[in-house]
Amino acid sequence: MTEEPPRLAPLLTPEGQALLAELRDHDPARELALATRLRRDHPAGLVSAALGQARLRQRAVAKFGAEDAHRMYFTPNGVEQATRTDVAAHRAARFRALGASRVTDLCCGIGGDAVALARAGIAVTGVDLDPMTCEIAAANLAALAPAGPPATVVCADVTTYDPTGAEALFVDPARRRGTGRVFDPEAYSPPLSWAVDAVRRTGLGAIKIAPGIPHERVPADFGAEWVSYGGDVKEAVLWHRRDAPDAPRRATLLPSGATVASRGLADPPVRPPGRYLYEPDGAVIRAHLIAEAVEDLPGAGLIDETIAYVTADGLRETPFATAYEVTDVLPFNLKRLKALLREREVGILTVKKRGSAVEPEEFRRKLKLRGRNETTVFLTRVAGAPAMLLAHRAPRPAA
């Protein structure tokens, strides 16, 4: 018999709130002594619950920011699976731009997306099956979105819940099980096909999916958006609007908000490496939008038809790729690279790879680096042959 998780209510009392405030910046390494001291004046169960929430809040700061994280409530799974604030705010803004004023958030979890929707001025109903999670989502809505349109949470099975009255649906199916991540969209809970049908019936909506979904699994009447934050791909979302279809594919980069949509351009031609190497953002690569992203880059081409590195002779600033100035283009040869790095006194080496089976940490260890200089090596293919490109971040071009 599994132990039932502590209820949230004790933490919402004045005593619970005072404990959470005291624990805001506590040192987890000294938690045992702190718990012993606190239990002299507070019930042991309350101290345990407060310490648990304090730990989760500290972990959540990276996603939600300190101000919000320390007013929210979490479950361990909720911290891991909740949407980052910036990503949720972007999605809420898209719903608002599409004209949605009432959204039903199916599989709402701890309410990260529901909060963003409410803050965007959208009436939101969150639905989740787990009672504790629903209790936490309601508390988070009350703490972070106390004013504005109605925001409610319903504890129900999303597959039997009636969303009548919603102008739009947001569905975030569970993509994890006890054994780890689920990669088959039909093994999501609920399955992707169910979510697609539910959104179609409503007429407007979005479905959060894994970024690695094959493009052929995207329904023809849905657009797919890949979203990155700080260069890391965070999620993919399927968008549907019955009366105005979205672009088939889109990449959005946060926090800048730069976005590029598919227009059916052919891939850039393959050409020899030029002075500059451009590394497209992961969302651009996942969305297969390299051609659209570098359309304004004169002379741009791929270094290999199967590799997502772009080269050009000129430097131009773009939000969709990071530019590097290339110093050397060499056939792959560990011994030669080792000698070159020793000659240049390189002690700090960033290893990037695409189309190479080399393990970066093992590769770096074999080089036995020493020195005060630093550089970047790209382990990749050039026109089908294994190659090494040495480069450093290019300066921003003059205005």
Side-chain angles (χ1 to χ4, degrees):
M1 183 177 180
T2 58
E3 182 180 353
E4 184 177 344
R7 306 303 293 176
L8 193 61
L11 292 175
L12 302 179
T13 64
E15 184 179 13
Q17 292 294 291
L19 266 176
L20 287 172
E22 183 177 350
L23 291 168
R24 173 175 172 140
D25 298 315
H26 84 284
D27 181 359
R30 305 182 63 184
E31 198 167 276
L32 182 59
L34 179 60
T36 301
R37 177 177 64 79
L38 291 175
R39 285 179 180 132
R40 296 171 188 156
D41 302 310
H42 304 282
L46 179 60
V47 170
S48 178
L51 281 168
Q53 279 300 321
R55 285 194 298 271
L56 294 174
R57 285 178 167 184
Q58 289 182 352
R59 287 169 53 193
V61 167
K63 276 190 175 183
F64 294 93
E67 183 177 352
D68 282 355
H70 286 292
R71 292 191 291 156
M72 296 177 71
Y73 301 89
F74 300 96
T75 64
N77 286 339
V79 172
E80 297 296 328
Q81 299 174 20
T83 304
R84 177 183 287 272
T85 292
D86 306 76
V87 178
H90 162 71
R91 180 163 34 252
R94 283 206 69 182
F95 269 117
R96 185 69 183 267
L98 291 171
S101 62
R102 298 187 307 277
V103 174
T104 296
D105 179 0
L106 300 178
C107 310
C108 69
I110 63 166
D113 278 284
V115 167
L117 290 165
R119 283 176 163 176
I122 297 171
V124 59
T125 299
V127 183
D128 204 280
L129 184 61
D130 180 64
M132 183 63 178
T133 301
C134 289
E135 192 177 348
I136 287 175
N140 288 337
L141 281 164
L144 300 185
T152 58
V153 178
V154 177
C155 190
D157 184 337
V158 298
T159 63
T160 58
Y161 178 78
D162 181 4
T164 300
E167 292 179 343
L169 295 184
F170 173 56
V171 191
D172 184 4
R175 296 177 299 282
R176 288 179 181 270
R177 290 181 178 172
T179 55
R181 292 184 180 181
V182 173
F183 296 99
D184 178 5
E186 285 308 295
Y188 292 174
S189 181
L192 178 59
S193 58
W194 180 92
V196 165
D197 289 342
V199 169
R200 280 180 179 147
R201 288 194 300 270
T202 302
L204 173 62
I207 306 167
K208 185 174 173 180
I209 56 174
I213 187 170
H215 285 212
E216 60 268 21
R217 300 295 295 269
V218 177
D221 54 340
F222 281 69
E225 178 184 29
W226 281 262
V227 180
S228 68
Y229 182 87
D232 293 330
V233 181
K234 295 300 181 184
E235 64 180 39
V237 179
L238 302 183
W239 287 91
H240 174 78
R241 186 180 180 186
R242 185 183 296 135
D243 58 345
D246 194 14
R249 288 170 284 117
R250 180 183 300 275
T252 299
L253 285 57
L254 300 176
S256 71
T259 188
V260 58
S262 55
R263 290 185 290 109
L265 301 184
D267 287 340
V270 176
R271 54 154 289 181
R275 181 176 177 182
Y276 296 98
L277 186 73
Y278 290 82
E279 181 182 28
D281 183 273
V284 171
I285 295 172
R286 293 276 193 175
H288 297 179
L289 292 176
I290 292 177
E292 285 82 352
V294 301
E295 182 182 15
D296 296 330
L297 187 62
L302 299 173
I303 62 172
D304 184 277
E305 64 180 356
T306 64
I307 301 296
Y309 285 136
V310 175
T311 189
D313 298 316
L315 179 62
R316 179 171 292 184
E317 189 168 6
T318 170
F320 303 114
T322 302
Y324 293 81
E325 187 169 6
V326 178
T327 59
D328 303 86
V329 180
L330 306 167
F332 181 84
N333 186 300
L334 179 64
K335 188 175 181 179
R336 185 175 179 184
L337 179 62
K338 185 176 180 179
L340 185 60
L341 296 178
R342 183 185 301 116
E343 176 186 329
R344 296 179 182 177
E345 298 183 347
V346 172
I348 302 173
L349 181 69
T350 300
V351 180
K352 292 178 173 286
K353 67 167 194 168
R354 208 163 272 162
S356 171
V358 170
E359 291 297 330
E361 289 305 319
E362 177 67 12
F363 182 76
R364 192 183 289 106
R365 186 186 65 79
K366 289 180 179 179
L367 292 171
K368 299 179 180 178
L369 300 168
R370 290 181 183 177
R372 54 187 176 81
N373 298 320
E374 60 182 280
T375 193
T376 297
V377 61
F378 292 84
L379 305 178
T380 185
R381 291 194 301 272
V382 172
M388 309 179 297
L389 282 71
L390 290 175
H392 55 80
R393 285 287 291 269
R396 294 185 64 177

